[in-house]
Amino acid sequence: MIFSDKLRLLRNQAGLSQEGLADKLNVSRQSVSKWESGISFPEIEKIIAISELFHVSIDSLLKEKITDPLPTESMDRLVLRFLGSSQAMHNISQQLVTIMQDGKIDTQETLQMEQIMCALEHIIKDIATLRQTFYASRNVPPADTHQPLPFSIENL
């Protein structure tokens, strides 16, 4: 697991929003968002503060393979987070319709699109975590992810 995923997991387990974590670290919410999406990396002082805040070693934050594993979320919490993602997808769809109404994407809409892409990345990671936890809890290998879906977008 990479730093961005670990940070998001720790923040969620602590029940903090990105804004809440940003306040505790004296940074902007956008900084936390960039760290969690892997766009940027915090300064060493912030890594130390994150380590102290969540009571984990710096090694466990930075090294891909860790010796003191992070606690895993329960399947119930993962499913609830996924259900929350479905509401986010509805909101994203509405935002995209609004952005595309005039057929042009202006500067403000470009910023909105970047936020939408970031939100979609988080949803994709949530789905991957749910999938991995589901199969791990049953000690079975995941199904082939490259099989065609039983529906097409045109039929939706």
Side-chain angles (χ1 to χ4, degrees):
M1 188 182 298
I2 61 174
F3 173 80
S4 59
D5 295 330
K6 293 175 190 177
L7 179 61
R8 185 172 42 86
L9 179 65
L10 288 167
R11 177 181 60 76
N12 285 332
Q13 288 176 340
L16 290 171
S17 63
Q18 286 184 343
E19 181 110 33
L21 178 58
D23 289 343
K24 289 185 180 295
L25 297 175
N26 296 315
V27 297
S28 68
R29 186 206 54 79
Q30 290 81 0
S31 291
V32 173
S33 176
K34 287 179 181 178
W35 299 342
E36 289 186 356
S37 62
I39 294 172
S40 67
F41 207 75
E43 298 172 357
I44 190 67
E45 295 84 12
K46 298 304 177 190
I47 293 172
I48 293 168
I50 291 166
S51 167
E52 292 171 350
L53 176 67
F54 295 120
H55 306 288
V56 296
S57 69
I58 292 173
D59 275 354
S60 68
L61 284 173
L62 301 179
K63 290 183 178 177
E64 197 160 358
K65 188 171 184 170
I66 55 176
T67 54
D68 53 338
L70 298 169
T72 58
E73 288 183 89
S74 71
M75 184 64 79
D76 292 345
R77 285 185 54 93
L78 289 169
V79 169
L80 288 173
R81 196 165 72 201
F82 175 73
L83 292 173
S85 295
S86 67
Q87 179 62 42
M89 287 298 297
H90 176 73
N91 294 340
I92 287 170
S93 296
Q94 290 178 326
Q95 289 175 359
L96 288 171
V97 167
T98 302
I99 289 170
M100 298 309 296
Q101 279 180 339
D102 63 1
K104 296 182 238 172
I105 299 177
D106 62 25
T107 305
Q108 180 64 31
E109 292 169 333
T110 299
L111 293 174
Q112 283 181 283
M113 289 293 289
E114 288 176 12
Q115 291 172 340
I116 287 170
M117 295 302 158
C118 185
L120 290 172
E121 284 295 319
H122 287 275
I123 291 168
I124 290 167
K125 287 178 184 178
D126 288 345
I127 291 169
T129 302
L130 176 61
R131 182 176 185 274
Q132 178 182 2
T133 303
F134 173 78
Y135 286 111
S137 70
R138 280 149 186 77
N139 293 324
V140 295
D144 184 8
T145 58
H146 301 291
Q147 293 179 351
L149 296 172
F151 59 86
S152 67
I153 293 175
E154 293 80 23
N155 296 337
L156 295 179

